[in-house]
Amino acid sequence: MSIFLVFENILSPPILFFLFGMLAVFFKSDLDIPQPLPRLFSMYLLIAIGLHGGHELANTGLSWDAFKFLVASAFMAVVVTVYGFFLLKPFVDVYNSVALAASYGSIGVVTFIAALSFLQHVGVNYGLYTAASLAIMEPLAIVSSLLLLHLFVSATNGNTEREWGKVLREALFNSSVFLLLSSLFMGFILKEDSWRTIKPFYDDLFRGLLTLFLLDLGIISARRIGDLKRVGKFLLAFGILFSIFNGIVALIIAKILGFSKGDTLLFTSLCISASYTAVPAVMRLSVPEANPGIYVTVPLAITLPFNLLIGIPMYYFLIEKFI
């Protein structure tokens, strides 16, 4: 892999501030982003991505490229959840296997945003319709994982007492999915004059607020590193190797379907990432037997830093070589 690409990624302001956030914790600084600003940053980024995606869909329609991308994303959300569950099951109990598999079948929106930022930095075009996949993959991964839980738990002890109405409502209408779907719809129906009035706020300010968001996430990730000793060597390795495997599968699918370079990196970023927001919220409700110290720590303290610092430039290098 080209060292230049790694430094190109690390030296971009959002990733630098992610590292500074981690360093602040390591050096025991009192640096902190006060609540509710981190939640506000997160909401802003989701709205901005949704508006851009909806506006692009309105301008281009559901093109063949958009259709292929969305179908492939839906396919990977289900498939990664299923084979992740069966891979984990011999090493981890059923409940934690379900929760962790759902996390990796779902998406980490920060990894997707970082891939967007990387493409903008290197000047590679991509389809804004890719944002629609964010709202597709999360609920599909969650529902798939809960179906697996229903099958395996009921097969072993006959327990089928799951509040499916609440679970499905949380999967389909949790705040991140609802915000994305609403923003996509609003971006789709906005006329060009209306879009121009909000474009400075949801376009020009995007990278600045992304930088502040990643500073906060760097602080949170570093604070979670202390939990790694409790997850075991297998899960430490899983957090990196499973993500890499999913990335290779994503590259093969993108090659077969003829994605552009930009779309390939974004598709790969969706497949290599793991959820540490929506999925934990659902798992706390529907799988209380699972341990948050596993299904939050592994995605947030292992997979996310690896993908932000190494994974994205590594996959872009492979895309340039083979796609």
Side-chain angles (χ1 to χ4, degrees):
M1 179 175 60
S2 171
I3 297 298
F4 172 77
L5 280 176
V6 176
F7 280 105
E8 186 89 2
N9 185 51
I10 291 176
L11 294 178
S12 66
I15 302 302
L16 276 176
F17 273 82
F18 177 82
L19 287 172
F20 290 160
M22 297 188 77
L23 287 174
V25 175
F26 297 152
F27 291 128
K28 302 187 185 305
S29 167
D30 61 352
L31 177 65
D32 198 12
I33 306 293
Q35 292 291 348
L37 287 178
R39 179 159 177 78
L40 178 64
F41 297 154
S42 178
M43 291 174 66
Y44 167 86
L45 295 173
L46 289 171
I47 292 171
I49 291 170
L51 287 172
H52 274 281
H55 188 64
E56 177 72 8
L57 281 174
N59 287 337
T60 63
L62 186 60
S63 64
W64 177 238
D65 286 339
F67 177 78
K68 288 190 297 182
F69 192 95
L70 297 178
V71 170
S73 299
F75 171 78
M76 284 298 285
V78 176
V79 169
V80 170
T81 302
V82 172
Y83 68 60
F85 171 79
F86 285 104
L87 179 62
L88 285 162
K89 191 169 172 289
F91 303 96
V92 186
D93 65 76
V94 170
Y95 301 106
N96 284 302
S97 296
V98 162
L100 202 51
S103 297
Y104 282 88
S106 183
I107 52 94
V109 68
V110 174
T111 308
F112 179 81
I113 294 171
L116 283 177
S117 179
F118 180 86
L119 290 174
Q120 291 168 358
H121 190 65
V122 298
V124 174
N125 294 325
Y126 55 88
L128 289 173
Y129 50 76
T130 53
S133 59
L134 296 171
I136 292 172
M137 294 181 74
E138 276 197 332
L140 279 176
I142 290 168
V143 171
S144 299
S145 68
L146 294 176
L147 287 173
L148 285 168
L149 179 66
H150 177 76
L151 290 173
F152 277 85
V153 170
S154 60
T156 55
N157 60 19
N159 178 22
T160 59
E161 296 297 321
R162 301 279 161 187
E163 297 184 72
W164 287 98
K166 289 183 180 180
V167 169
L168 292 175
R169 184 168 63 251
E170 183 66 23
L172 296 172
F173 296 107
N174 72 76
S175 59
S176 60
V177 173
F178 184 75
L179 205 54
L180 272 168
L181 288 173
S182 301
S183 302
L184 278 165
F185 176 72
M186 285 185 273
F188 187 80
I189 64 174
L190 280 178
K191 294 183 179 179
E192 196 61 37
D193 289 343
S194 298
W195 169 250
R196 280 197 294 268
T197 62
I198 63 170
K199 187 174 182 289
F201 185 67
Y202 284 111
D203 190 3
D204 300 340
L205 292 178
F206 183 86
R207 284 178 66 82
L209 288 177
L210 171 62
T211 298
L212 291 173
F213 179 70
L214 284 180
L215 171 64
D216 179 66
L217 205 60
I219 294 170
I220 294 171
S221 297
R223 288 173 179 168
R224 279 282 179 181
I225 285 179
D227 296 335
L228 294 181
K229 64 185 75 171
R230 295 200 291 268
V231 302
K233 292 180 180 179
F234 169 76
L235 291 177
L236 286 172
F238 179 87
I240 294 175
L241 297 179
F242 188 64
S243 176
I244 292 174
F245 177 77
N246 292 336
I248 293 171
V249 173
L251 291 176
I252 293 170
I253 291 175
K255 175 70 172 178
I256 293 171
L257 296 179
F259 290 174
S260 68
K261 286 185 179 180
D263 284 9
T264 298
L265 184 65
L266 293 180
F267 178 63
T268 304
S269 75
L270 292 169
C271 297
I272 64 176
S273 64
S275 173
Y276 44 83
T277 51
V279 169
V282 175
M283 292 301 134
R284 280 198 296 269
L285 171 70
S286 57
V287 194
E289 302 91 342
N291 179 8
I294 291 177
Y295 64 77
V296 174
T297 299
V298 176
L300 186 56
I302 302 173
T303 305
L304 177 66
F306 174 80
N307 284 331
L308 291 185
L309 300 177
I310 298 173
I312 290 172
M314 177 180 74
Y315 293 114
Y316 186 74
F317 172 79
L318 293 174
I319 290 165
E320 285 201 312
K321 284 288 184 182
F322 302 110
I323 301 297

